[in-house]
Amino acid sequence: MSSFDDVGSAIENHTEEDENYFISMTDMMVGILFIFVIMLMVFALNFRQQTDVSLEQIRLLQKAKEQAEIVADRLESLRNKIGLELQQLDKSNQVRADLLQEIQRRLEDQGVFVQIDPANGVLRLTDKAVRFPSGIPTLSDEATENVRKIAAALYEVLPRYTACRKADPTCDNTGTPSVETVFIEGHTDMSGRDDDNWTLSTSRAVNTYRTMAQAQPSLLQLQNHARRQLISVSGYSSTRPLIDEPTRAAYDTNRRIDLRFVMEIGDRQNLTAVVGLTREMEAELRQLRSAIDKANGK
């Protein structure tokens, strides 16, 4: 794999992990509730079986009750925080879908036909827009002209979805969802040697990037909140085919360029607060379990 691919894939993997963070947090919350209910049921069952309830047991029961109320409050707070972050994620996805649709409309008006995948944030340059002959990384004259049109459409739309400009010392901190990265992704078909295909796919992405940069240098001025350039490249060899068949038609389709738009989601401070809350809940649950064990003579 090339260095472009290493960097691009690492950044993308990190972002995909961020996008799945809130769903994982929801799953964790459900699991904690499940464990909590089981613990209370076991405690209640054991308590009913006790025929000699001592003052110490009553004290421990009261302590467990208080601990349970604390955990319930923590869970309510966590659920509210996760709910707000999920709303922000939904908003980011809708903003990205609007962005893709606007770019697609502008390109169709110029006779350049692309496909969009709003769920995954992909603008796909089909063989009607950019076609690569087998084993060739360079753009044809027709493909070059289309990439220039794509670059123009990007610069007409993308600045409204971008947080920072290189020449501007301030960034947009209004909380409006913005783009974190636009990956220019190169792909090959399944023919040829795998090692060659990694280089080939990355070269296709790099050549597309260079053509865009030459056509619209201002695209390189767009930055995310971390002050990193928006436009980047990655290569995937034949690992992400659109049609997983060993046919010529499939090969023609799979040799392509995708533009993947990744949104900036979640405020780091909010995420840190959620993680801290889960740790506090873990401590409360440990204390609750300890109180139950003592009441049961363990």
Side-chain angles (χ1 to χ4, degrees), residues 166-236:
K166 188 174 182 179
D168 192 340
T170 61
C171 291
D172 176 14
N173 294 310
T174 60
T176 303
S178 58
V179 176
E180 197 276 336
T181 305
V182 180
F183 286 105
I184 302 174
E185 300 179 343
H187 300 267
T188 71
D189 58 40
M190 292 186 293
S191 65
R193 294 175 63 251
D194 190 57
D195 288 346
D196 293 338
N197 283 339
W198 283 111
T199 301
L200 180 60
S201 64
T202 305
S203 295
R204 287 173 175 168
V206 170
N207 288 334
T208 303
Y209 170 90
R210 286 172 175 165
T211 301
M212 285 186 176
Q214 291 170 358
Q216 292 291 331
S218 296
L219 279 174
L220 306 187
Q221 300 296 312
L222 304 179
Q223 297 179 331
N224 57 28
H225 273 109
R227 287 292 185 178
R228 299 292 183 264
Q229 180 178 299
L230 249 61
I231 311 297
S232 187
V233 299
S234 57
Y236 291 97

Side-chain angles (χ1 to χ4, degrees), residues 23-180:
I23 298 174
S24 299
M25 289 295 293
T26 304
D27 293 340
M28 182 194 69
M29 182 180 71
V30 173
I32 290 175
L33 280 172
F34 181 70
I35 294 171
F36 175 64
V37 171
I38 290 178
M39 291 173 65
L40 289 184
M41 289 176 62
V42 171
F43 177 78
L45 178 62
N46 290 338
F47 186 76
R48 291 192 189 98
Q49 293 173 350
Q50 300 281 347
T51 57
D52 182 17
V53 180
S54 66
L55 292 177
E56 177 64 15
Q57 287 174 316
I58 294 175
R59 186 187 69 80
L60 290 172
L61 176 61
Q62 181 62 31
K63 181 178 179 181
K65 176 178 177 295
E66 294 171 356
Q67 210 73 35
E69 291 174 349
I70 293 174
V71 173
D73 290 341
R74 299 291 190 188
L75 286 170
E76 177 69 18
S77 178
L78 177 61
R79 183 171 65 247
N80 291 337
K81 285 180 178 293
I82 292 176
L84 291 174
E85 297 299 343
L86 286 173
Q87 290 177 13
Q88 183 66 19
L89 178 60
D90 290 339
K91 184 178 179 180
S92 293
N93 288 338
Q94 183 57 55
V95 168
R96 183 172 65 181
D98 295 341
L99 163 65
L100 291 173
Q101 290 168 2
E102 184 174 355
I103 294 173
Q104 184 184 41
R105 287 194 299 269
R106 288 177 180 270
L107 289 174
E108 287 180 351
D109 290 343
Q110 299 183 60
V112 180
F113 297 95
V114 298
Q115 296 175 348
I116 61 172
D117 178 1
N120 293 301
V122 174
L123 180 78
R124 181 156 293 127
L125 311 187
T126 66
D127 56 2
K128 293 182 179 179
V130 177
R131 177 189 291 272
F132 289 98
S134 180
I136 302 300
T138 54
L139 296 166
S140 65
D141 291 342
E142 181 181 1
T144 297
E145 182 59 29
N146 285 339
V147 169
R148 288 172 177 164
K149 292 178 180 178
I150 292 166
L154 283 177
Y155 191 68
E156 289 172 358
V157 177
L158 199 53
R160 288 188 279 110
Y161 298 86
T162 301
C164 308
R165 311 293 190 278
K166 188 174 182 179
D168 192 340
T170 61
C171 291
D172 176 14
N173 294 310
T174 60
T176 303
S178 58
V179 176
E180 197 276 336

